[in-house]
């Protein structure tokens, strides 16, 4: 449900991150049902880091795009702010 809400608010880029995050959670959950394999920590951390990157990137791009099209009140500067 959070994935769908994020996709609706922040777009497909954030939704991809949320889907990867669900995959990371499923890898973590394998241990709870007794499924384990050597080196499981690597794919867990890889998918987790990838998911976080995709979600943060989607939010940052959306904020930067908003700043270019309207007055910016944050750390992002538009061309008109620098004149």
């Amino acid at each position: 449900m959070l994935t769908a809400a994020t996709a609706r608010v922040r777009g497909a880029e954030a939704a991809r991150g949320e889907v990867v995050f669900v995959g990371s959670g499923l890898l973590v959950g394998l241990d709870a049902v007794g499924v384990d394999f050597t080196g499981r920590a690597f794919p867990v951390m890889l998918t987790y880091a990838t998911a976080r990157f995709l979600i943060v990137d989607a939010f940052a791009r959306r904020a930067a795009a908003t700043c270019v099209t309207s007055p910016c009140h944050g750390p992002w500067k538009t061309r008109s702010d620098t004149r």
Side-chain angles (χ1 to χ4, degrees):
M1 185 147 168
L2 178 61
T3 302
T6 302
R8 186 171 176 93
V9 173
R10 293 296 176 185
E13 296 84 9
R16 281 191 283 275
E18 292 289 344
V19 169
V20 174
F21 189 67
V22 168
S24 176
L26 290 173
L27 285 170
V28 170
L30 287 176
D31 190 44
V33 295
V35 177
D36 198 13
F37 55 91
T38 304
R40 183 173 57 90
F42 180 74
V44 167
M45 290 310 297
L46 181 64
T47 54
Y48 181 80
T50 302
R52 293 289 105 194
F53 171 78
L54 291 171
I55 294 167
V56 169
D57 185 57
F59 275 74
R61 285 177 189 266
R62 185 72 167 252
T66 302
C67 190
V68 170
T69 59
S70 65
C72 185
H73 302 290
W76 301 279
K77 299 287 183 188
T78 63
R79 288 186 183 160
S80 62
D81 292 337
T82 58
R83 292 184 191 169

